[in-house]
Amino acid sequence: MVIKKVLPMLFLVFISCYIYFGLGRYLFHFCFFDDFLGFHCPLCKTTLAIEFLFQGNLKSSIQTSIVGLSIILYFIFYQVFLFFGELKKICILDKLFIYLVLINYLYLLCQ
């Protein structure tokens, strides 16, 4: 039972290391929104924002995408609430994250 609660945190550590070392820059990039529809998706530039955040450049991270910082906080709080069984707080956190993604999307459309 404890492994089910710890496994998502291990996944986050793996993703964090993946982004911190910049391994995402060497992969083939394909975006359905950008390539076929001609506009950015709601999570566009999030990986770049997280890379800036891991490099200690908070200002560039927020300017690139506000979802970068919020996705890190989302996953941390999600795991904490899940560990302590606070399901109502997880529902509130989910709604808040969706609103932040929509705000980021509007921000990208205005650029």
Side-chain angles (χ1 to χ4, degrees):
M1 189 69 173
V2 174
I3 292 177
K4 286 185 178 181
K5 290 185 176 182
V6 175
L7 193 60
M9 271 312 234
L10 292 175
F11 179 71
L12 290 177
V13 169
F14 171 76
I15 294 296
S16 299
C17 291
Y18 175 83
I19 293 172
Y20 177 76
F21 293 112
L23 300 175
R25 288 184 237 143
Y26 303 109
L27 294 177
F28 172 73
H29 174 73
F30 174 76
C31 178
F32 176 78
F33 283 90
D34 195 27
D35 293 342
F36 290 109
L37 302 176
F39 56 89
H40 298 296
C41 71
L43 295 173
C44 193
K45 300 182 183 180
T46 302
T47 306
L48 181 62
I50 294 173
E51 283 184 28
F52 283 140
L53 187 64
F54 284 161
Q55 294 170 358
N57 197 343
L58 182 63
K59 183 179 178 183
S60 293
S61 175
I62 293 172
Q63 287 175 339
T64 303
S65 173
I66 60 170
V67 177
L69 176 61
S70 60
I71 202 166
I72 299 284
L73 295 174
Y74 171 80
F75 282 120
I76 290 171
F77 282 113
Y78 185 89
Q79 291 305 314
V80 169
F81 293 152
L82 187 64
F83 186 79
F84 290 111
E86 299 285 339
L87 299 179
K88 288 184 180 180
K89 291 182 181 178
I90 290 176
C91 291
I92 293 169
L93 189 65
D94 288 342
K95 290 177 186 177
L96 179 64
F97 183 70
I98 289 170
Y99 291 139
L100 286 172
V101 169
L102 291 174
I103 290 169
N104 184 62
Y105 185 61
L106 293 174
Y107 173 75
L108 289 172
L109 287 176
C110 293
Q111 287 183 339

